[in-house]
Every structure is written in C-alpha cells, then in structure tokens.
C-alpha cells in the first residue's frame, strides 16, 4: 500500500478569513488522500493591540487549540501550503518571521524538492493579492522547491480568476462557497502533484 503524501497547511489569520481558507485547503488535500497538518504561526502583535479589536481577540481565542507551526512541520511535509493576509502588498510579518527561522534547515537542504503553494486575503480587490503570492513564492525559489499554483487547470479557477493562488476580498465578507471550492481544489492539486513527485523518486 502506498504511503499517504504529507501536506502541511501553515497560515496566519487575524480575524478568520485566511483561517477559513486554510481549513478548505486542508480539506482538499485530505480528500486527495493526504495526511495533513494544519498549523498557525505565532502571533507577534502586542496583546493589548489584539484585545483592542474584538474580532481579532475573538479569533485568537477561538483558534488557540490549533498547534503553532514549527520548522519540523516543514521537514515532515512533502508539500506545504502557506496562507497569509496581505500587508502592504506582501505577506504578514507573522508568517515572514516564521519563514525567517528556517535558515538552519535551509542550509541543510531540507526545504528543497518539496511542493509549495499559497493563498491570501486582501481588504480590497486591488490590494495586493498577486504581489503577495508572487513575493511569497520568491522564498520558494531560494529553497529550491517546486511551486504548484492552481493555474487555470479546473473550471472553478475561472470563477475567481487568480492563477497564482486562491484570493479572497475581506471587504466583501467572509469567504464564500466559491472561495472554499477553489481553495479545496488548490489543496487537492498540491497533494496530487506532491504524490507524483514522491512516487517519481521511488
């Protein structure tokens, strides 16, 4: 029996939109037969700042049960999906800080030859969705990873229209079923491509 491919979904979310997408990505990968770890990165904002915004504090409390991401999750995984809100057209500092801890395992080549993909949420339609995903993929180039975007490889991709990764507009409300179908497809595609890569090595 073929061993299940291992997929890590590592995200940062302040109010829950990216968290919803992360769950969708995990569901898609699991449906494809993958073993999945859902992990959140550590919060960097001061507690008084978080507490001052009820939606931020409420989401932090509601997701405390989710294990924080560590570099061992990256070592374990055959594929990684990163989720982040946009901050001035780039990834959130919380996710960047986590990525900045990977130097020692990068030097050992432990991040190479894995599949990577990403998804995001912005406040406005032109608030940096593509720049966030593309800048995040710059990290993968340095790691020597294999970037697997959703592209236009399924009819669902034409409903949101972003070939770089699932993207949500928070000003329009929580992720809809279209967003969730899209990110589930992205998670499934990542798992399938990772499986093909792993099997090709064996």
């Amino acid at each position: 029996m073929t061993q299940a491919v291992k997929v890590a979904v590592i995200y940062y979310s302040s109010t829950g939109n990216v968290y919803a997408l992360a769950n969708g990505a995990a569901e898609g990968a699991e449906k494809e037969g993958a073993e999945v770890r859902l992990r959140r990165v550590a919060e960097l904002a001061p507690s008084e700042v978080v507490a001052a915004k009820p939606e931020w504090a409420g989401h932090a409390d509601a997701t405390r049960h989710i294990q924080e991401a560590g570099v061992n999750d990256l070592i374990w995984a055959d594929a990684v999906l990163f989720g982040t809100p946009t901050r001035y057209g780039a990834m959130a500092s919380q996710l960047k800080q986590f990525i900045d801890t990977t130097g020692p395992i990068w030097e050992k080549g432990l991040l190479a030859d894995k599949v990577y993909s990403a998804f995001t949420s912005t406040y406005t339609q032109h608030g940096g969705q593509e720049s966030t995903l593309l800048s995040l993929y710059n990290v993968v180039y340095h790691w020597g990873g294999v970037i697997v975007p959703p592209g236009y490889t399924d009819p669902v991709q034409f409903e949101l229209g972003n070939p770089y990764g699932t993207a949500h507009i928070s000003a329009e409300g929580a992720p809809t079923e279209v967003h969730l179908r899209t990110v589930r497809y992205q998670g499934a595609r990542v798992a399938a491509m990772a499986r093909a890569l792993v099997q090709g090595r064996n």
Side-chain angles (χ1 to χ4, degrees), residues 42-91:
E43 180 59 79
L44 301 179
S47 57
E48 60 271 19
V49 173
V50 176
K53 296 188 175 183
E55 67 277 14
W56 196 349
H59 178 68
D61 287 338
T63 56
R64 289 192 191 282
H65 65 285
I66 298 176
Q67 188 172 326
E68 280 191 7
V71 294
N72 285 336
D73 295 309
L74 296 174
I75 296 170
W76 167 86
D78 299 307
V80 180
L81 287 115
F82 287 115
T84 179
T86 289
R87 297 291 184 262
Y88 301 113
M91 76 181 84

Side-chain angles (χ1 to χ4, degrees), residues 3 9-10 34 38 41 46 49 60 73-74 95 109 112 115 126 158 171-172 176 179:
Q3 186 175 1
V9 180
I10 298 176
L38 179 65
V41 298
V49 173
D73 295 309
L74 296 174
L95 181 60
V115 166
H126 300 291
F158 291 91
E172 297 179 356
T176 66
H179 294 98

Side-chain angles (χ1 to χ4, degrees), residues 18 21 82-86 118-122 128-129 132-133 165-168:
V18 176
L21 296 177
F82 287 115
T84 179
T86 289
F119 51 91
T120 190
S121 178
T122 59
Q129 293 177 347
T132 297
L133 296 173
T166 304
H168 162 258

Side-chain angles (χ1 to χ4, degrees), residues 149-162:
Y152 294 108
T153 56
D154 186 271
V156 72
Q157 284 303 117
F158 291 91
E159 297 187 52
L160 288 182
N162 194 327

